[in-house]
């Protein structure tokens, strides 16, 4: 019996060792930079589908130093929307579905982006949807309804992130109040880019990239390499300041692909996001003191991966990706942490804990 237990222990250690040795967690470091990467609608089923598509070759998610299970419910619903979930991560406040950057009572809740700017850090927001969409809005604005795009765009322009990139030009230019926020940004010193190529050619901040009237095209129509290039360029620009930074990077349209049950689109969005996460992890390797967090706001589609044959004693019979809903699900999501301070993110946590820990490590830890 003792010999059997010893052999089993040896097998477990050998099984665990390669992954741990390949991507060892860094020694305790002070956190100078935080990169929060949100795969909108990305549950474990979506990650598993990427792993299968890649033939189980290592994905960015395999590189994580620590993982946690994250609860996503909102203040008024066991199934959250993006606005409430992003508000929880951005401000540490559970709120009502559709509310952005505000408490359930309608009071503004201070975001990690605002705290970072107050502390003298650089900030960046990069998305594959549009800049006034629910997730980026929660990190830059305070409105009672996520669809108040003009108000969100105005507050984002007033916040003045060092870098912002995505779609949504119409909410900055074709506004009911007659303001042209793009021109206002330009007059205040921003470089304003109309294409991803112009954005990635920018050599200084502040820079604003507005690449489409509303939503950016879905992958692969927009190029599956967009988010990777935008991530690499954004982190490079923010690092030049040398004062530390907070960056939000969102793979926004994983969500849309799952709402529409478009598996080909889902695969393309996941590949784009995976490359962007690899890019952020590589940045953390080159820049000690960088923490990268990868998480979803919620799961969309109720994605499961099923066998094509119920006889599991048979040979390989193929798998099928299935959707159980065209809406969101209440399933918890996985958080993947990499780099400095990653060990703080493990176990079962709430999405509000993401804000609490980012604030403690990036803001309070600097004092």
């Amino acid at each position: 019996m003792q010999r059997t237990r010893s052999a089993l222990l040896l097998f477990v250690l050998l099984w665990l060792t390669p992954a741990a040795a390949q991507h060892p967690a860094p020694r305790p470091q002070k956190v100078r930079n935080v990169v929060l990467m949100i795969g909108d609608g990305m549950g474990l089923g979506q990650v598993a589908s990427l792993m299968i598509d890649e033939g189980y070759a290592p994905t960015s998610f395999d590189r994580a130093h620590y993982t946690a299970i994250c609860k996503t419910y909102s203040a008024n619903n066991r199934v959250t929307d993006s606005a409430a979930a992003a508000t929880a991560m951005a401000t540490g406040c559970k709120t009502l579905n559709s509310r952005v950057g505000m408490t359930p009572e309608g009071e503004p809740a201070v975001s990690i982006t605002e705290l970072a700017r107050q502390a003298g850090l650089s900030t960046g927001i990069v998305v594959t949807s549009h800049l006034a969409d629910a997730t980026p809005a929660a990190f830059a604005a305070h409105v009672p309804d996520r669809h108040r795009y003009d108000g969100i765009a105005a507050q984002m322009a007033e916040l003045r992130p060092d870098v912002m990139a995505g779609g949504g030009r119409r909410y900055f230019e074709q506004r009911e109040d007659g303001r042209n926020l793009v021109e206002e940004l330009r007059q205040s010193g921003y470089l304003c880019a109309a294409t991803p190529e112009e954005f990635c050619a920018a050599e200084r901040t502040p820079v604003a990239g507005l690449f489409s009237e509303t939503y950016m095209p879905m992958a692969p129509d927009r190029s599956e390499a967009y988010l990777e290039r935008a991530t690499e360029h954004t982190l490079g620009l923010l690092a030049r300041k040398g004062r530390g930074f907070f960056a939000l990077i969102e793979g926004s349209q994983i969500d849309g692909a799952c709402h529409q049950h478009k598996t080909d689109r889902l695969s393309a969005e996941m590949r784009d996001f995976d490359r962007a996460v690899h890019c952020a992890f590589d940045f953390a390797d080159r820049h000690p003191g960088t923490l990268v967090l990868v998480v979803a706001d919620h799961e969309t589609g109720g994605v499961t991966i099923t066998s094509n044959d119920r006889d599991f004693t048979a040979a390989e019979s193929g798998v099928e990706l299935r959707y159980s809903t065209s809406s969101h699900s209440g399933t918890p999501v996985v958080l993947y942490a990499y780099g400095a301070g990653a060990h703080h993110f493990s176990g079962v946590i709430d999405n509000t804990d993401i804000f609490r820990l980012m604030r403690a490590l990036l803001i309070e830890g600097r004092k």
Side-chain angles (χ1 to χ4, degrees):
M1 180 63 72
Q2 181 63 36
R3 182 177 299 175
T4 301
R5 281 198 292 262
S6 298
L8 179 60
L9 177 60
L10 178 60
F11 171 79
V12 171
L13 290 173
L14 288 173
W15 182 71
L16 290 174
T17 297
Q22 187 177 3
H23 304 294
R27 294 178 180 178
Q29 298 172 350
K30 193 170 185 178
V31 175
R32 288 182 45 80
N33 313 310
V34 169
V35 184
L36 176 61
M37 307 190 71
I38 297 177
D40 197 312
M42 183 188 73
L44 188 56
Q46 288 81 350
V47 174
S49 73
L50 172 70
M51 293 176 173
I52 290 171
D53 286 345
E54 298 298 307
Y56 294 104
T59 67
S60 62
F61 305 96
D62 296 288
R63 294 176 61 180
H65 291 141
Y66 289 88
T67 58
I69 301 299
C70 185
K71 295 177 282 187
T72 63
Y73 66 93
S74 69
N76 68 331
N77 201 314
R78 286 167 287 190
V79 180
T80 189
D81 76 337
S82 292
T87 295
M89 292 185 280
T91 72
C93 175
K94 290 278 189 185
T95 196
L96 312 181
N97 281 4
S98 198
R99 189 154 285 182
V100 170
M102 303 187 83
T103 68
E105 296 72 33
E107 296 297 323
V110 178
S111 72
I112 188 67
T113 321
E114 292 169 311
L115 292 175
R117 286 196 61 79
Q118 292 168 13
L121 306 182
S122 299
T123 55
I125 298 175
V126 176
V127 301
T128 62
S129 56
H130 64 81
L131 284 169
D133 204 9
T135 300
F139 289 83
H142 310 278
V143 295
D145 182 354
R146 60 182 288 180
H147 298 106
R148 295 187 181 182
Y149 299 138
D150 281 11
I152 292 166
Q155 290 186 41
M156 185 171 290
E158 291 163 8
L159 180 64
R160 293 180 58 84
D162 296 271
V163 178
M164 47 184 171
R169 188 183 305 115
R170 68 174 294 181
Y171 309 120
F172 287 77
E173 290 183 333
Q174 302 167 29
R175 301 169 50 82
E176 292 184 2
D177 60 11
R179 292 174 65 185
N180 186 328
L181 297 179
V182 173
E183 187 56 34
E184 290 179 20
L185 288 169
R186 187 176 285 113
Q187 291 179 3
S188 68
Y190 270 81
L191 293 171
C192 294
T195 66
E197 291 73 23
E198 289 180 13
F199 172 75
C200 289
E203 296 184 353
R204 68 165 177 86
T205 59
V207 58
L210 289 162
F211 311 134
S212 59
E213 289 299 300
T214 54
Y215 283 91
M216 293 185 67
M218 294 182 72
D221 295 340
R222 67 166 184 269
S223 163
E224 290 182 30
Y226 158 71
L227 192 59
E228 176 188 16
R229 291 199 304 266
T231 298
E232 181 177 26
H233 191 60
T234 295
L235 299 185
L237 286 173
L238 296 177
R240 289 183 191 180
K241 295 285 187 178
R243 60 192 187 194
F245 64 78
F246 169 77
L248 169 70
I249 311 289
E250 186 191 28
S252 319
Q253 300 205 59
I254 299 167
D255 178 63
C258 293
H259 277 298
Q260 299 168 26
H261 296 184
K262 300 289 188 181
T263 301
D264 289 346
R265 296 285 188 180
L266 169 61
S267 296
E269 293 291 345
M270 286 299 299
R271 288 192 297 267
D272 191 23
F273 190 62
D274 179 54
R275 284 192 286 264
V277 174
H278 270 304
C279 178
F281 286 176
D282 290 345
F283 178 91
D285 289 340
R286 299 191 304 270
H287 296 79
T290 299
L291 169 64
V292 183
L293 302 173
V294 184
V295 70
D297 47 356
H298 53 74
E299 194 276 342
T300 300
V303 171
T304 56
I305 298 173
T306 62
S307 172
N308 288 337
D309 192 331
R310 294 182 63 182
D311 181 1
F312 294 105
T313 65
E316 170 66 48
S317 55
V319 295
E320 180 182 357
L321 188 149
R322 294 185 179 181
Y323 304 88
S324 63
T325 178
S326 60
S327 186
H328 301 171
S329 75
T331 306
V333 297
V334 182
L335 180 146
Y336 306 85
Y338 190 89
H343 61 282
H344 292 282
F345 296 84
S346 63
V348 179
I349 66 173
D350 195 89
N351 54 8
T352 55
D353 292 324
I354 297 172
F355 167 81
R356 179 180 60 80
L357 289 167
M358 290 192 301
R359 180 183 59 187
L361 294 168
L362 183 65
I363 308 301
E364 297 169 358
R366 305 175 74 87
K367 298 176 182 178

